[in-house]
Amino acid sequence: MIELAVALSDRTYPVLVGSGARHRLLEVLPVGARRAAIVTQSSIGWTVDPGVPSQVFPIGDGEETKHLGTVEDLCRDLAQWGLTRADVIVAVGGGVVTDVAGFVAAVYHRGVPVVHVPTTLLGQVDAAIGGKTGVNLPEGKNLVGAYWQPSAVLCDTETLGTLPPREHRSGRGEMAKYAFLGVDDLPDLPLDEAVAACVRCKADIVASDEREGGRRAILNYGHTLAHAIETEGDYGLRHGEAVAVGLIYAAEVAHRLGRIDAERVAEHRSVVAGYDLPMNLPPDLEPGRLVDLFARDKKAIAGVTFVLDGPRGVEPVAVPDRSLLLGAMEAIRRA
Ligand code: GLY
């Protein structure tokens, strides 16, 4: 078992990565936890044994479950069960489950402890780590949320063996992102070590900038376009696949701004292709509408802000030039 930590002084928490990590739940529960509310989806098909009295609270499947109505329903169910701050929420599932359960933990009784047991590759390398929680609005993804750090995260790589291929592919989109954030040789590592390398990278970034005052924004590399695509509708791309297209787009934008050369753009294409991920925009998407949506991204304080590669590495950059953004869109339409 690989044991890591997200170092946040008195809120530091462990992240266990390896086969069977889910069986370590009792030892990472907050000291004295009386009962556990297990938030999960029936489609996951297995649950965890917290070693204290517990009840399962299922939520629906899919991104469409990630809305405020689900938060209200879950809070009401927990209130009827009598959940208190002396209890713990255990989130067992992918990003939808950990985002919703984490947000409920942040707001129910103004905060109860939560342990995440991410069951997808995407959840293990990204969503369950770092305390971002929240739900979508019709106007955009993750527009309502809170920073609420878990007490522990158990990344059980055994659970990845039964993931549907598309789900695994989606996780590889987030993994590809880490290749540009300084994690080397990811494709050559055994799965446990690859997951741990991503977690270590994210933990380091979160420890240095928990609330995204600056550096943490680099974790959104590839996400500005991905979120715009996802806001436009269902174009058949899973989140990590949309991130993969977003990585290529970000490279094309950085190249047009003179921040990286053609060779570095080619490197982006080769990493993304190596993970067997898409590199082009779905054909029916209207580039102008996507560019309009960039201004609604949470990184955009005034105008459009992109996370871009460059001489100092990946960093947030204001990009006011609409025609440049549209030009870069052409490169991912015809490529
Ligand atoms: N998924 C990006 C972050 O946690 O900051």
Side-chain angles (χ1 to χ4, degrees):
M1 196 68 58
I2 303 169
E3 303 199 10
L4 306 167
V6 181
L8 292 166
S9 72
D10 61 338
R11 290 172 298 123
T12 295
Y13 58 91
V15 182
L16 271 50
V17 181
S19 183
R22 67 189 186 281
H23 302 303
R24 305 274 294 266
L25 181 56
L26 180 57
E27 75 187 76
V28 301
L29 282 191
V31 176
R34 292 181 326 164
R35 298 189 303 167
I38 300 169
V39 178
T40 188
Q41 290 157 324
S42 51
S43 55
I44 289 177
W46 54 270
T47 186
V48 286
D49 177 7
V52 295
S54 64
Q55 181 159 316
V56 172
F57 294 85
I59 63 171
D61 283 326
E63 194 67 21
E64 57 276 17
T65 299
K66 232 180 95 170
H67 61 86
L68 284 166
T70 304
V71 173
E72 179 176 3
D73 291 347
L74 191 50
C75 285
R76 291 188 61 188
D77 289 346
L78 295 174
Q80 283 160 27
W81 192 53
L83 190 88
T84 72
R85 287 188 193 151
D87 302 315
V88 59
I89 293 176
V90 179
V92 180
V96 168
V97 173
T98 55
D99 281 6
V100 169
F103 185 52
V104 165
V107 296
Y108 181 87
H109 285 203
R110 298 197 181 90
V112 295
V114 61
V115 173
H116 291 316
V117 186
T119 59
T120 61
L121 182 57
L122 192 143
Q124 296 189 1
V125 299
D126 185 46
I129 314 289
K132 276 190 183 175
T133 72
V135 293
N136 304 329
L137 295 178
E139 287 75 12
K141 274 182 60 99
N142 300 324
L143 291 186
V144 178
Y147 289 98
W148 189 250
Q149 298 295 342
S151 310
V153 183
L154 300 177
C155 298
D156 191 336
T157 49
E158 190 183 341
T159 68
L160 304 180
T162 52
L163 275 189
R166 281 297 294 288
E167 190 57 58
H168 207 276
R169 196 169 186 230
S170 181
R172 295 201 300 272
E174 289 287 353
M175 276 194 143
K177 169 188 86 178
Y178 286 103
F180 301 102
L181 303 183
V183 183
D184 295 326
D185 303 325
L186 262 179
D188 302 328
L189 297 176
L191 184 61
D192 288 12
E193 284 175 37
V195 171
C198 297
V199 171
R200 200 175 286 113
C201 175
K202 181 159 185 179
D204 175 57
I205 293 168
V206 170
S208 67
D209 178 23
E210 182 185 4
R211 290 180 169 245
E212 208 165 298
R215 184 175 176 227
R216 183 167 178 164
I218 67 175
L219 288 167
N220 293 322
Y221 193 38
H223 284 62
T224 306
L225 177 65
H227 285 163
I229 293 172
E230 289 165 320
T231 300
E232 267 299 85
D234 182 0
Y235 284 85
L237 292 179
R238 308 296 297 262
H239 176 68
E241 294 171 329
V243 169
V245 179
L247 291 172
I248 306 296
Y249 179 65
E252 292 287 352
V253 171
H255 183 43
R256 281 162 175 73
L257 287 169
R259 293 177 56 86
I260 59 172
D261 58 19
E263 204 176 315
R264 184 68 171 160
V265 178
E267 202 179 321
H268 278 71
R269 290 188 179 276
S270 131
V271 167
V272 169
Y275 280 106
D276 186 25
L277 290 159
M279 291 191 270
N280 298 328
L281 268 189
D284 300 338
L285 273 163
E286 165 55 42
R289 285 183 58 84
L290 294 173
V291 172
D292 290 343
L293 285 169
F294 293 161
R296 224 186 263 169
D297 189 84
K298 289 189 291 312
K299 291 184 295 307
I301 309 290
V304 175
T305 302
F306 257 83
V307 179
L308 296 177
D309 199 6
R312 289 176 300 276
V314 172
E315 61 186 351
V317 180
V319 186
D321 185 345
R322 184 181 168 87
S323 63
L324 184 145
L325 292 169
L326 284 169
M329 209 68 88
E330 284 309 307
I332 58 167
R333 264 149 73 91
R334 62 165 182 263

